[in-house]
Amino acid sequence: MTPTYYLLLSALLFSIGAVGVLVRRNAIVVFMCIELMLNSVNLTLVTFARINGALDGQVIAFFVMVVAAAEVVVGLAIIMSIFRTRRTASVDDANLLKY
Amino acid sequence: MTELPTVEVASGITSLAWLLFVLPAAGSLILFVAGRRANTWGHWLGVLTVVASFALGLAIFFQTIGMSADQRTTEVHLFDWIAVAGLKVDFGLRLDPLSLTFVLLITGVGSLIHIYSVGYMSHDPGRRRFFAQLNLFVAAMLILVLGNNFVMLYLGWEGVGLASYLLIGFYQDRPSAATAAKKAFLMNRVGDVGLALAIFLLWTNLGTVQYTDVFERIGQVSPGTVVAITVLLLLGACGKSGQFPLQAWLPDAMEGPTPVSALIHAATMVTAGVYLIARTNPIYNLTESGRLVVALIGTITLLIGAIIGCAYDDIKKVLAYSTVSQIGYMILAVGLGPIGYALGIAHLLAHGFFKAGLFLGAGSVMHAMDDNVDMRRYGGLWRKMPITFVTFGLGYLALIGFPFLSGYFTKDAIIEAAFTAPGWQGWVFGLTASVAAGLTAFYMTRLMIMTFFGEKRWEELETSDGGHYHPHESPLSMTVPMIILAFGSVLAGFLLTNGKALATWLAPSLGELREAEGGALPHSVTPWLVLALSALGVLVAYLVVGRRPTPVERPERVSLPVRAARRDLYANAINEAVIARPGTWLSRFLVFVDNRGVDGVVNGTAALFGGSSGRLRRLQTGFVRSYALSMLGGTVLVAAALLVVRFS
């Protein structure tokens, strides 16, 4: 089995996620892009675990999933409260914390 | 080396000796704290404490005189003052003939001057403050002479310095008084540094500052160190006693009220230097060269004082320079060693009487003449104020050494002893002292003639507020002390020197007075030489001042020596050029370095960080996406760097 295709897919997903984080304004979409990046990393981890025949990579992938779930909980709560006060979910509008 | 006396523990009334200085100190404290409430009775409290102190001093004196000579040195231990590792300082008193003599002089003359001040200051709103400060002075001076170690001496030394500063600047609204007070304080400080260094040297070499231990073990110190200690002690004495090169503050100190000039700047405080050298005589006995320096300083000063005294028109300044000159005689005497210690103290006591009397007389004249001090405005006052004239005249005769008055016995003894110094010293010391005696006769006669004889120059003049002068005799509270001091001026010299009374009494403290032998001039000639020179001085003064009218305005076209003397022989100019101006330059330079250099570095650093962070904070835009971009860029950079390192 060659990892090339898996890795290419992973890199593609990561790039899509990164660009999405940088260019999209909607906080929900930015969030989904972050999930995309995390899952592309998971794909890479699983790929290498399979190649090396060790379980370490898969274990780490599970850890990433748990962290991502927790992060979603906290992040969505923040986004909800921002939306309630400002009536918008655009990340560019929440710019009060600056110089 | 002289035999040191054994020290006894105080008994009887001597154990109450602490009251001597506690009484005036308490009086001073009460007057300072009570404030305006004490205005009506404060001056009497001030008088009472000093008189009580004097009575106690007399009682102790009579008890001591009843003991045998080797029991007359007693110590009273009050408490441990400073006790830290290696340094132990008692708060203890040493009562011996020397300190008792000073106690009687300080409290005796002090009592008279306190009484005089009640009258003299009666119109002054600050009279209570005046008495508080005068009491403070008496207390500090008593601590100075009574302490049984060098640190207590230093405590009193600084205390009298403070009191002197306060009293010179008593007329706070006069800028000249404030300047004079500052000048006195600063010049005294120069001397005090010398005294402090001498004490440090004693402590590092001997590990003690108690008189008894120091005098017992001073022989173990190397000769070079002993010379250093004596010179430093002399520097201290020069500061306090107005000796060359620190003499310039004393005439300016006359800005204070006249009783202060009489008590502090003539009779007592300025003689502290003489006391210091006499007290430390076991140290001075060890070093020939140390004593020579002392005698030289005394000789220079007595001549300087006498020369400048001839040129001034300010009655108090003439007396001030006379004081400088007379203390020069005392310093010369104690610089002569065992043949001179007791003579110096004898002259000090006699001088305390007649100079205090002269100053009180001058104060009485000023009181009559609307506080004017210019002798050119006086004249013919003897008929208007007979008591002042007679008492002043007796003080004058005592000062110029008129036969059988105080100065005749005490000053001539010093000049006689000066002639016996070995080699060239005998000629230099003896002749200078004799010539200065002639000058003394000249300036004092000039002062007498200008003040009490001649035309009444004040009749055509107006006072500063436009009225006329009405000279009048002073009230009883002022004349009685003058009369008592006049008796002292007449009798003190005879009583002190008759049968060597004082020298025998002081022997336990100063060692036996050794008879001066040999020397440049035979002993039978010296008194006649001094008498002839003094008579010449009087005669010249009569011819120059007495026979022609004195101009009211000071003549400006005068010979070079007079011009130099009027400018204090350029003492102030020299101080200004050598010390003050370089000091000013140095401090200006240091201020510049501080402002530009030290502050520049500190402020520059702050400005650098402030400016750069002001620019850097613009990076915090508040846009989440730009932060994300920089995080991505940073991560890419780190990853790229790792790859380059790994695969290159």
Side-chain angles (χ1 to χ4, degrees):
Chain A
M1 174 195 151
T2 67
T4 319
Y5 299 115
Y6 300 95
L7 290 181
L8 277 176
L9 176 64
S10 169
L12 189 67
L13 286 174
F14 191 89
S15 303
I16 292 171
V19 171
V21 169
L22 291 181
V23 301
R24 298 304 298 262
R25 290 202 184 86
N26 193 315
I28 302 287
V29 179
V30 170
F31 226 74
M32 293 196 303
C33 291
I34 290 173
E35 292 300 317
L36 202 57
M37 287 158 77
L38 285 171
N39 282 312
S40 76
V41 171
N42 279 348
L43 182 59
T44 315
L45 285 169
V46 173
T47 307
F48 282 115
R50 169 90 180 149
I51 289 171
N52 292 335
L55 284 177
D56 297 0
Q58 299 192 15
V59 173
I60 294 173
F62 275 110
F63 270 107
V64 171
M65 274 185 231
V66 173
V67 171
E71 179 222 328
V72 165
V73 172
V74 178
L76 278 178
I78 293 172
I79 292 167
M80 277 300 293
S81 67
I82 288 178
F83 183 78
R84 278 191 188 151
T85 52
R86 310 181 77 88
R87 289 278 128 209
T88 169
S90 165
V91 288
D92 284 3
D93 287 349
N95 64 350
L96 286 180
L97 190 66
K98 60 182 176 187
Y99 53 84
Chain B
M1 175 110 193
T2 45
E3 196 67 18
L4 290 174
T6 50
V7 176
E8 310 277 327
V9 176
S11 60
I13 196 160
T14 313
S15 48
L16 288 177
W18 53 275
L19 273 175
L20 280 174
F21 68 88
V22 168
L23 279 173
S28 167
L29 192 69
I30 291 172
L31 290 184
F32 270 127
V33 172
R36 229 171 286 150
R37 266 161 299 192
N39 272 356
T40 46
W41 47 267
H43 44 284
W44 292 118
L45 178 74
V47 171
L48 187 72
T49 54
V50 179
V51 172
S53 217
F54 178 55
L56 182 63
L58 269 184
I60 295 174
F61 172 73
F62 282 122
Q63 193 197 334
T64 312
I65 218 166
M67 300 184 207
S68 66
D70 51 351
Q71 289 177 334
R72 284 180 184 165
T73 304
T74 51
E75 291 208 350
V76 185
H77 175 82
L78 298 181
F79 55 88
D80 286 339
W81 184 21
I82 301 172
V84 290
L87 174 66
K88 188 173 165 301
V89 180
D90 281 352
F91 204 90
L93 309 179
R94 182 189 179 95
L95 291 143
D96 63 356
L98 183 63
S99 63
L100 278 177
T101 310
F102 269 85
V103 165
L104 291 184
L105 173 74
I106 296 159
T107 53
V109 177
S111 303
L112 293 176
I113 290 173
H114 272 73
I115 295 167
Y116 176 93
S117 308
V118 172
Y120 187 86
M121 302 297 285
S122 56
H123 303 304
D124 198 298
R127 180 162 68 168
R128 176 191 50 79
R129 180 165 57 91
F130 179 79
F131 274 90
Q133 291 168 1
L134 218 51
N135 267 10
L136 174 69
F137 165 76
V138 172
M141 188 73 198
L142 287 172
I143 290 177
L144 194 164
V145 297
L146 281 172
N148 72 349
N149 58 63
F150 281 95
V151 179
M152 275 192 73
L153 173 98
Y154 194 80
L155 174 73
W157 197 267
E158 293 298 316
V160 294
L162 168 69
S164 158
Y165 167 78
L166 291 173
L167 285 164
I168 296 171
F170 180 75
Y171 298 122
Q172 297 153 317
D173 47 337
R174 290 189 203 158
S176 59
T179 315
K182 253 187 293 180
K183 183 174 175 185
F185 199 74
L186 287 176
M187 294 192 78
N188 265 301
R189 199 84 312 104
V190 178
D192 294 349
V193 170
L195 178 60
L197 289 178
I199 296 173
F200 297 159
L201 264 183
L202 280 173
W203 188 73
T204 45
N205 280 288
L206 294 172
T208 177
V209 290
Q210 304 289 123
Y211 287 147
T212 28
D213 301 342
V214 168
F215 297 160
E216 232 165 64
R217 305 200 330 239
I218 187 71
Q220 305 163 3
V221 180
S222 71
T225 317
V226 173
V227 174
I229 291 170
T230 53
V231 171
L232 287 169
L233 285 174
L234 175 66
L235 180 62
C238 283
K240 202 52 96 199
S241 293
Q243 297 295 294
F244 177 82
L246 297 175
Q247 82 278 21
W249 70 269
L250 189 52
D252 285 17
M254 299 302 131
E255 285 292 339
T258 309
V260 171
S261 310
L263 177 61
I264 301 184
H265 304 117
T268 55
M269 183 190 86
V270 289
T271 58
V274 183
Y275 169 81
L276 176 67
I277 295 175
R279 169 59 81 200
T280 55
N281 68 79
I283 306 180
Y284 279 91
N285 282 340
L286 290 179
T287 157
E288 194 83 22
S289 37
R291 287 204 307 268
L292 178 62
V293 179
V294 176
L296 270 177
I297 293 286
T299 311
I300 295 172
T301 314
L302 68 89
L303 190 62
I304 289 181
I307 291 175
I308 302 177
C310 298
Y312 265 96
D313 295 326
D314 178 332
I315 185 169
K316 281 178 77 181
K317 291 222 164 152
V318 174
L319 290 177
Y321 271 112
S322 165
T323 305
V324 170
S325 169
Q326 296 303 311
I327 297 172
Y329 277 101
M330 300 168 207
I331 295 278
L332 166 63
V334 293
L336 292 171
I339 59 168
Y341 293 130
L343 302 180
I345 301 297
H347 192 50
L348 190 157
L349 292 176
H351 176 260
F353 280 110
F354 61 67
K355 190 51 69 64
L358 285 171
F359 264 110
L360 295 191
S364 175
V365 172
M366 284 164 58
H367 204 65
M369 295 297 288
D370 202 36
D371 280 340
N372 203 319
V373 290
D374 189 355
M375 294 191 296
R376 293 184 180 277
R377 292 167 170 266
Y378 297 169
L381 285 175
W382 69 275
R383 209 183 278 277
K384 292 283 182 187
M385 26 198 347
I387 301 177
T388 306
F389 169 63
V390 172
T391 54
F392 198 95
L394 287 173
Y396 153 75
L397 291 175
L399 172 55
I400 67 169
F402 193 79
F404 310 115
L405 269 61
S406 286
Y408 172 74
F409 293 106
T410 56
K411 192 162 68 177
D412 280 18
I414 293 177
I415 298 176
E416 236 169 76
F419 269 116
T420 64
W424 58 270
Q425 302 169 18
W427 284 109
V428 171
F429 297 158
L431 284 181
T432 316
S434 312
V435 170
L439 287 171
T440 308
F442 171 78
Y443 67 69
M444 283 311 292
T445 311
R446 173 173 174 270
L447 186 151
M448 281 300 282
I449 293 174
M450 285 173 83
T451 306
F452 291 105
F453 298 107
E455 303 165 52
K456 297 172 177 168
R457 293 184 293 279
W458 40 269
E459 279 184 332
E460 282 119 52
L461 296 169
E462 289 191 339
T463 57
S464 52
D465 49 7
H468 288 282
Y469 288 110
H470 299 289
H472 53 86
E473 189 54 275
S474 301
L476 267 186
S477 66
M478 290 168 71
T479 48
V480 170
M482 284 154 57
I483 293 167
I484 297 174
L485 286 170
F487 273 107
S489 322
V490 174
L491 298 175
F494 177 72
L495 293 180
L496 293 173
T497 51
N498 183 33
K500 298 209 178 345
L502 183 75
T504 319
W505 155 248
L506 286 175
S509 306
L510 302 177
E512 291 295 329
L513 176 66
R514 238 179 270 158
E515 199 59 49
E517 281 162 6
L521 274 186
H523 280 236
S524 49
V525 179
T526 336
W528 295 110
L529 173 71
V530 176
L531 211 55
L533 282 168
S534 301
L536 187 68
V538 174
L539 186 69
V540 172
Y542 173 69
L543 293 177
V544 173
V545 186
R547 295 236 312 207
R548 42 180 124 143
T550 309
V552 174
E553 291 307 321
R554 191 171 83 157
E556 292 303 325
R557 296 170 59 85
V558 287
S559 61
L560 197 64
V562 178
R563 225 175 301 158
R566 276 185 186 172
R567 300 200 49 197
D568 308 286
L569 293 182
Y570 305 109
N572 287 323
I574 292 169
N575 283 346
E576 176 84 22
V578 178
I579 312 283
R581 219 162 300 146
T584 319
W585 290 336
L586 181 66
S587 52
R588 265 196 214 134
F589 170 71
L590 289 179
V591 167
F592 179 80
V593 169
D594 186 45
N595 280 346
R596 295 294 164 84
V598 179
D599 288 10
V601 169
V602 175
N603 292 343
T605 314
L608 179 72
F609 280 101
S612 50
S613 48
R615 292 196 177 81
L616 279 176
R617 76 195 174 113
R618 295 279 155 196
L619 292 177
Q620 302 285 333
T621 54
F623 288 112
V624 176
R625 294 185 301 145
S626 73
Y627 299 160
L629 180 63
S630 40
M631 275 168 71
L632 183 71
T635 316
V636 169
L637 270 182
V638 170
L642 281 176
L643 288 177
V644 167
V645 171
R646 174 75 57 88
F647 296 109
S648 62

